[in-house]
Coordinates of all heavy atoms in Angstrom, one line a residue:
D100 N -25.3 -38.2 -16.3 CA -24.4 -37.1 -17.0 C -23.9 -36.2 -15.9 O -24.6 -35.8 -15.0 CB -25.3 -36.3 -18.0 CG -25.7 -37.2 -19.2 OD1 -24.9 -38.0 -19.6 OD2 -26.9 -37.0 -19.6
W159 N 3.0 -1.3 -37.3 CA 4.2 -0.8 -36.6 C 5.5 -1.2 -37.2 O 6.5 -0.7 -36.9 CB 4.1 -1.4 -35.1 CG 4.1 -2.9 -35.0 CD1 5.1 -3.8 -35.0 CD2 2.9 -3.7 -34.9 NE1 4.7 -5.1 -35.0 CE2 3.3 -5.0 -34.9 CE3 1.5 -3.4 -34.9 CZ2 2.4 -6.1 -34.8 CZ3 0.6 -4.5 -34.8 CH2 1.1 -5.8 -34.7
L169 N 8.6 -4.6 -48.0 CA 7.8 -4.4 -49.2 C 6.5 -3.6 -48.9 O 5.6 -3.6 -49.8 CB 7.5 -5.8 -49.8 CG 8.7 -6.6 -50.2 CD1 8.2 -8.0 -50.7 CD2 9.5 -5.9 -51.3
E212 N -10.0 -9.0 -41.2 CA -10.8 -8.2 -40.4 C -10.2 -6.8 -40.2 O -9.2 -6.5 -40.8 CB -11.0 -8.9 -39.0 CG -12.4 -9.5 -38.9 CD -13.6 -8.4 -38.9 OE1 -13.3 -7.3 -38.7 OE2 -14.7 -8.9 -39.2
V270 N -22.9 -13.3 -32.2 CA -23.7 -14.5 -32.2 C -25.0 -14.3 -32.8 O -25.8 -13.5 -32.2 CB -23.7 -15.1 -30.8 CG1 -24.6 -16.4 -30.8 CG2 -22.4 -15.4 -30.3
R321 N -11.7 -5.1 -24.7 CA -12.4 -5.0 -26.0 C -13.7 -4.1 -25.9 O -14.0 -3.4 -26.8 CB -12.7 -6.3 -26.6 CG -13.7 -6.3 -27.8 CD -14.0 -7.7 -28.3 NE -15.2 -7.6 -29.2 CZ -16.4 -7.9 -28.9 NH1 -16.7 -8.4 -27.6 NH2 -17.4 -7.8 -29.7
N338 N -27.6 -1.0 -37.0 CA -26.7 -0.2 -36.2 C -25.7 -1.1 -35.5 O -26.1 -1.8 -34.5 CB -27.5 0.7 -35.2 CG -26.6 1.7 -34.5 OD1 -25.4 1.6 -34.5 ND2 -27.3 2.7 -34.0
D363 N -17.3 -12.8 -27.2 CA -16.1 -13.0 -27.9 C -15.6 -14.5 -27.8 O -16.2 -15.3 -27.1 CB -15.0 -12.1 -27.3 CG -14.7 -12.4 -25.8 OD1 -14.3 -13.5 -25.5 OD2 -14.8 -11.5 -25.0
P392 N -36.3 1.0 -30.1 CA -34.9 0.8 -30.7 C -34.1 2.0 -30.7 O -34.7 3.2 -30.6 CB -35.2 0.3 -32.1 CG -36.6 0.9 -32.4 CD -37.3 0.9 -31.1
K395 N -29.9 5.6 -33.8 CA -28.8 6.6 -33.9 C -27.4 5.9 -33.6 O -27.4 4.8 -33.1 CB -29.0 7.7 -32.8 CG -30.3 8.4 -32.8 CD -30.4 9.4 -31.7 CE -31.8 10.0 -31.6 NZ -32.0 10.9 -30.4
T411 N -22.8 -2.2 -20.6 CA -22.2 -3.5 -20.1 C -21.4 -3.2 -18.9 O -20.9 -2.1 -18.7 CB -21.4 -4.1 -21.2 OG1 -20.3 -3.2 -21.6 CG2 -22.2 -4.5 -22.5

Side-chain angles (χ1 to χ4, degrees):
D100 293 323
W159 57 85
L169 301 177
E212 257 298 338
V270 177
R321 166 184 167 257
N338 190 342
D363 63 58
K395 305 174 185 177
T411 59

